[in-house]
Amino acid sequence: QVQLVESGGGSVQSGGSLRLSCGAYGYTYSVYCMGWFRQAPGKEREMVANIDKDGNTDYAEFVKGRFTISLDNARDALFLQMNSLKPEDTAMYYCAADQVRCGGPADVDYWGQGTQVTVSS
């Protein structure tokens, strides 16, 4: 089992920045890919960014150039630096871990509890 605990969400104005953190606990050696997903009210959960154990990253088009994902293997910690935030980035953000691949929500093996990000115009 792997437990994921997010922190760092909050409220900012458009154009602002936030840094999300996710601590991973338990059998973290079994994890192949970690990532961030988000879900806004009335919408489906969507991938924001992910990173595999080799450091390869992937970003959704709507965050490219604004968000940066990073992984600290020594501390089993995942980060998401979010810059130039827009009101449409408002959502619950979830840390995720997958033991096999970097995929969509249906592929995720472990979820964090989520942290709210609210961007006002």
Side-chain angles (χ1 to χ4, degrees):
Q1 290 290 323
V2 176
Q3 295 80 44
L4 304 172
V5 180
E6 303 101 331
S7 62
S11 297
V12 294
Q13 290 191 326
S14 182
S17 298
L18 282 173
R19 179 176 167 88
L20 304 184
S21 300
C22 173
Y25 306 91
Y27 294 104
T28 58
Y29 63 87
S30 67
V31 173
Y32 172 78
C33 182
M34 292 190 72
W36 293 95
F37 290 74
R38 72 185 188 185
Q39 188 168 19
K43 295 188 177 181
E44 293 186 352
R45 193 168 296 191
E46 58 186 358
M47 190 276 285
V48 175
N50 58 46
I51 183 168
D52 67 23
K53 61 191 306 179
D54 295 320
N56 299 305
T57 60
D58 189 27
Y59 294 91
E61 283 296 325
F62 51 79
V63 301
K64 282 184 178 179
R66 301 189 297 125
F67 292 11
T68 303
I69 190 170
S70 58
L71 180 65
D72 185 335
N73 282 310
R75 294 191 292 147
D76 287 334
L78 181 71
F79 305 96
L80 185 68
Q81 178 65 43
M82 305 186 294
N83 299 327
S84 302
L85 282 161
K86 305 175 182 180
E88 51 263 44
D89 293 317
T90 295
M92 185 72 79
Y93 283 70
Y94 296 91
C95 178
D98 195 303
Q99 294 176 304
V100 178
R101 58 179 290 190
C102 288
D107 298 309
V108 171
D109 295 307
Y110 304 102
W111 292 101
Q113 81 285 356
T115 185
Q116 179 67 38
V117 171
T118 303
V119 185
S120 58
S121 57

